[in-house]
Amino acid sequence: MIPDTDKAYIAGLFDGEGSIHMRRGIEKKKKHKGKPGYRLSNSLRLSMEITMTDKSVVMWVHEILGCGTFTKKPRKGKRVDGTKYLMQYRWRCTFSDAYYVCCLIWPWAHTKLPKIQRVIEHYTQKALKDNIISLDEYREVKKNVR
């Protein structure tokens, strides 16, 4: 169980240093069951990440959330004055992990709230029966917990 203070802190980090990428488009995929050739699929690509130069904070986010990946982000070139850029560290998650994180942080999000709500709405519209609750049900549960 993640404390609300940690969720709020992560939401603040995400508002300042995070990003959400959602892209829907046609993708070429292999056919199922070993059939030769490819098929076209209307796919959704979804990921969210926090990138910072403070390694300990990004590691903490990864440990608290218990999902996603923690990696170094490669440096690109040098600054105008010739000095190297600082090493950046990235926590990143995709698809249902991103949905899980969005559900955790949406009550405290501000800047990224519209995109977080788009992620939640995408997953609540899917017919996954009892695996996912609606956003309204989740809000009702959060009201009763306080």
Side-chain angles (χ1 to χ4, degrees):
M1 187 72 166
I2 302 171
D4 282 351
T5 53
D6 289 351
K7 293 176 192 175
Y9 186 78
I10 291 169
L13 280 175
F14 192 74
D15 271 346
E17 303 291 333
S19 63
I20 296 179
H21 303 283
M22 282 184 82
R23 185 179 65 84
R24 182 172 292 283
I26 303 297
E27 292 185 353
K28 188 175 169 182
K29 295 185 175 185
K30 287 187 176 182
K31 288 187 177 180
H32 295 291
K33 299 180 182 177
K35 294 178 183 174
Y38 293 90
R39 62 188 170 87
L40 295 179
S41 171
N42 187 13
S43 299
L44 173 76
R45 291 281 162 209
L46 168 64
S47 67
M48 59 190 302
E49 65 181 54
I50 297 174
T51 304
M52 302 175 65
T53 57
D54 191 336
K55 181 179 180 179
S56 63
V57 173
V58 181
M59 280 179 65
W60 176 82
V61 168
H62 179 63
E63 289 169 6
I64 292 294
L65 294 175
C67 65
T69 58
F70 171 77
T71 58
K72 287 182 180 180
K73 188 174 177 184
R75 293 186 236 182
K76 294 181 180 176
K78 294 183 179 183
R79 294 186 178 113
V80 175
D81 64 0
T83 59
K84 291 183 179 179
Y85 287 105
L86 295 174
M87 178 58 70
Q88 290 185 332
Y89 300 92
R90 174 175 48 200
W91 167 82
R92 184 174 188 266
C93 70
T94 57
F95 304 110
S96 59
D97 285 342
Y99 169 71
Y100 162 73
V101 173
C102 285
C103 286
L104 286 177
I105 68 173
W106 78 261
W108 297 278
H110 294 283
T111 307
K112 304 290 192 307
L113 187 58
K115 285 189 174 185
I116 288 172
Q117 287 178 327
R118 280 184 53 208
V119 171
I120 292 172
E121 288 168 4
H122 168 76
Y123 276 93
T124 54
Q125 289 174 2
K126 285 182 139 190
L128 294 177
K129 300 201 174 154
D130 294 292
N131 293 340
I132 298 176
I133 65 171
S134 74
L135 184 57
D136 293 328
E137 290 172 344
Y138 185 77
R139 286 182 177 143
E140 201 60 34
V141 169
K142 288 303 285 183
K143 280 183 196 174
N144 294 333
V145 171
R146 291 180 190 169

